[in-house]
Amino acid sequence: MKYLGYITAFIIFLVLSSVYSGYALSILWDWFVVPTFNLEPISIPIAIGLAIVVSYLTNHTDSSQENNGDTFSEVLEKLTVKALVKPTLALLIGWVVTFFI
């Protein structure tokens, strides 16, 4: 039963992190790509798809950061922090940059 909880948490994590990354991409797209290239804004579902494609094509693992004996919950915790911090920092830095354009 414990593993069912882990699997459920992992699936929820994948969905929420994809939605948050897509949301961040759609906001950044609206801030920078739309005015620069006169393109249409993208919806959050399209941004989610783009984020997944880009992640699939560019995902690189660092072999020096192997999970040395980490439990599943510790790995999930690290992935959750990374999934929250990366889009949040991108939005924060992008928001600051909008004041200079």
Side-chain angles (χ1 to χ4, degrees):
M1 208 58 179
K2 181 179 177 181
Y3 292 108
L4 182 61
Y6 284 147
I7 292 169
T8 304
F10 185 70
I11 291 170
I12 291 170
F13 161 76
L14 285 177
V15 170
L16 292 179
S17 66
S18 294
V19 169
Y20 189 47
S21 291
Y23 170 76
L25 178 60
S26 72
I27 297 298
L28 293 168
W29 185 278
D30 286 347
W31 285 345
F32 300 110
V33 177
V34 170
T36 303
F37 300 108
N38 286 330
L39 295 175
E40 293 292 319
I42 58 173
S43 64
I44 293 176
I46 296 296
I48 291 170
L50 284 174
I52 291 170
V53 169
V54 169
S55 174
Y56 175 75
L57 294 174
T58 63
N59 189 15
H60 304 285
T61 56
D62 186 6
S63 61
S64 67
Q65 293 181 339
E66 291 180 12
N67 301 321
N68 297 326
D70 287 349
T71 64
F72 182 78
S73 60
E74 291 170 340
V75 171
L76 187 60
E77 183 179 313
K78 288 178 185 179
L79 288 173
T80 303
V81 169
K82 183 178 178 181
L84 291 175
V85 169
K86 186 177 178 181
T88 302
L89 282 177
L91 283 173
L92 179 65
I93 293 169
W95 178 70
V96 170
V97 170
T98 61
F99 291 108
F100 296 99
I101 57 175

